[in-house]
Amino acid sequence: MDINDLEWRVTPGLTDYSAALKEMEARAAAVAAGEARELVWLLEHPPVYTAGTSASADELLDARFPVVDAGRGGRYTYHGPGQRIGYLVLNLAERGRDVRCFVHALEGWIIAALAEMDIPAFRAEGRIGIWTQDAQGREAKIGAIGVRVRRWVTMHGFSVNLSPNLSHFTGIVPCGIADYPVTSAAALGASHDIETFDAALALTSRAFLESLTCSRKIET
């Protein structure tokens, strides 16, 4: 399936997390039933902490924002203004039926898009997500990955820190990783314009979709 065969949706402003979750789940059911096109949905949320299926209560340090059960894999994550969220409703039944390949390809897509903005990012062995070097030279997380697959249709996706309030992350142990900081494009002194990042995602999207059919050995 070509990039032109799916819906590419950009929602301006802030979208309530629970409402977005409900809409995404309905779309996934329709895609699984063959009643709707696949979807790439780019949006932002008001401040919220989301709990994945592996979230531990002791990793919620300060519930200063609403806490919502996301239903995805992973642990606690923060979403808020200045962070680009990408929800992917894709039919893996037509794209190789390989969840590991999907996650790997999704990481690669975000790394490629950040490279278009002159932000060097990379995978870190044993730590899902997108990593870079912060201003102090430490490995720091700039993007999170959290997915769910039902009937071979994907839900959720990624979040990339462009210019969020990084202090908001201190209410949780982000993704259960306490030993590494989070950072953002703004904190790195890099371009953090959300429209520019969306354009970088669009530019690199075709390679991402093509990589989903990989049955080959995944290189790390």
Side-chain angles (χ1 to χ4, degrees), residues 76-138:
Y76 282 107
T77 300
Y78 166 75
H79 294 320
Q83 185 186 69
R84 180 44 103 203
I85 306 296
Y87 291 141
L88 309 181
V89 182
L90 301 179
N91 188 359
L92 295 188
E94 298 180 0
R95 299 184 181 277
R97 295 178 182 255
D98 190 330
V99 177
R100 180 170 175 259
C101 176
F102 170 66
V103 173
H104 190 270
L106 183 53
E107 291 173 335
W109 184 23
I110 305 308
I111 290 168
L114 288 171
E116 292 292 326
M117 299 174 67
D118 297 321
I119 299 174
F122 51 87
R123 299 178 181 88
E125 185 175 357
R127 287 181 265 134
I128 290 177
I130 311 303
W131 299 81
T132 189
Q133 299 284 335
D134 70 9
Q136 289 73 44
R138 303 170 298 179

Side-chain angles (χ1 to χ4, degrees), residues 16 55 86 98 108 116 125 149 159 177-178 211 213 216:
D16 177 75
D98 190 330
E116 292 292 326
E125 185 175 357
V149 179
S159 61
I177 301 174
S211 69
T213 56
R216 61 188 182 278

Side-chain angles (χ1 to χ4, degrees), residues 16-211:
D16 177 75
Y17 182 82
S18 294
L21 183 62
K22 182 177 180 180
E23 183 170 349
M24 177 174 53
E25 290 177 341
R27 182 60 170 260
V31 169
E35 298 170 351
R37 290 189 295 162
E38 295 176 303
L39 172 68
V40 175
W41 186 12
L42 304 180
L43 66 162
E44 291 178 272
H45 292 306
V48 62
Y49 293 133
T50 71
T53 54
S54 301
S56 175
D58 61 357
E59 293 171 354
L60 179 61
L61 306 178
D62 177 9
R64 71 188 80 164
F65 302 121
V67 181
V68 180
D69 183 0
R72 54 158 173 78
R75 297 162 94 159
Y76 282 107
T77 300
Y78 166 75
H79 294 320
Q83 185 186 69
R84 180 44 103 203
I85 306 296
Y87 291 141
L88 309 181
V89 182
L90 301 179
N91 188 359
L92 295 188
E94 298 180 0
R95 299 184 181 277
R97 295 178 182 255
D98 190 330
V99 177
R100 180 170 175 259
C101 176
F102 170 66
V103 173
H104 190 270
L106 183 53
E107 291 173 335
W109 184 23
I110 305 308
I111 290 168
L114 288 171
E116 292 292 326
M117 299 174 67
D118 297 321
I119 299 174
F122 51 87
R123 299 178 181 88
E125 185 175 357
R127 287 181 265 134
I128 290 177
I130 311 303
W131 299 81
T132 189
Q133 299 284 335
D134 70 9
Q136 289 73 44
R138 303 170 298 179
E139 286 191 9
K141 196 166 191 176
I142 194 169
I145 303 290
V147 302
R148 182 179 183 182
V149 179
R150 180 191 296 165
R151 296 173 62 190
W152 289 112
V153 175
T154 69
M155 290 180 284
H156 301 278
F158 64 82
S159 61
V160 175
N161 300 331
L162 297 176
S163 59
N165 185 335
L166 293 179
S167 71
H168 290 178
F169 285 88
T170 61
I172 58 172
V173 178
C175 301
I177 301 174
D179 297 332
Y180 297 88
V182 294
T183 192
S184 67
L188 297 173
S191 171
H192 54 271
D193 179 78
I194 201 162
E195 289 79 15
T196 301
F197 182 64
D198 288 353
L201 285 171
L203 182 66
T204 52
S205 61
R206 187 177 300 277
F208 160 66
L209 291 172
E210 290 174 350
S211 69

